[in-house]
Amino acid sequence: QVPLVESGGGLVQAGGSLKLSCASTGRTFSQYAMGWFRQAPGAERELVAACSGSGFSTHYADSVKGRFTISRDNAKNTVYLQMNSLKREDTAVYYCAAASFSALLGYEMRRDPLDAWGQGTLVTVSS
């Protein structure tokens, strides 16, 4: 188990940027792939981005590709989500999660339990 805590959410105007952080207090952070999910009111939780334990492999949802960037700093036990050119439809609660890379990518289809979830941080994009 890897405890996770997100931060960095807030209110931003369309076209603006935010950077989310997810910090782990565990001791095996680099052994886990990490993902960012989001859930809007009344919607299913969807995968936004994921990266392997080393950070070498990444995946992005089509809706955010070219605008969002996932990265990690294993020395700081932290994964980041840089969000640029934000749109109103990006408004959601954003969660980080730890699991295998394949489990993260397959979550929307299978909904298998992941190893750990953060508490969520709200991103609101105004227009």
Side-chain angles (χ1 to χ4, degrees):
Q1 189 177 20
V2 286
L4 304 172
V5 180
E6 301 104 332
S7 62
L11 176 65
V12 64
Q13 292 187 335
S17 298
L18 282 175
K19 188 173 184 178
L20 307 182
S21 298
C22 175
S24 173
T25 58
R27 297 189 294 179
T28 57
F29 181 76
S30 65
Q31 298 179 229
Y32 293 88
M34 298 294 297
W36 285 98
F37 294 79
R38 68 185 182 188
Q39 188 166 21
E44 295 290 309
R45 189 169 297 189
E46 62 175 342
L47 178 67
V48 175
C51 66
S52 62
S54 66
F56 180 77
S57 299
T58 59
H59 168 84
Y60 297 94
D62 289 341
S63 60
V64 307
K65 191 174 181 65
R67 299 189 297 121
F68 291 11
T69 302
I70 188 170
S71 62
R72 65 192 296 159
D73 186 342
N74 287 340
K76 293 182 170 63
N77 280 12
T78 302
V79 64
Y80 306 95
L81 184 67
Q82 177 67 51
M83 305 185 294
N84 298 326
S85 302
L86 283 162
K87 304 174 181 178
R88 184 178 177 87
E89 46 265 44
D90 294 318
T91 295
V93 176
Y94 284 71
Y95 302 87
C96 65
S100 69
F101 196 63
S102 60
L104 293 172
L105 269 60
Y107 181 79
E108 291 183 1
M109 179 64 67
R110 296 192 169 201
R111 302 284 168 172
D112 290 336
L114 304 181
D115 292 289
W117 289 95
Q119 83 287 351
T121 186
L122 177 63
V123 172
T124 303
V125 183
S126 64
S127 61

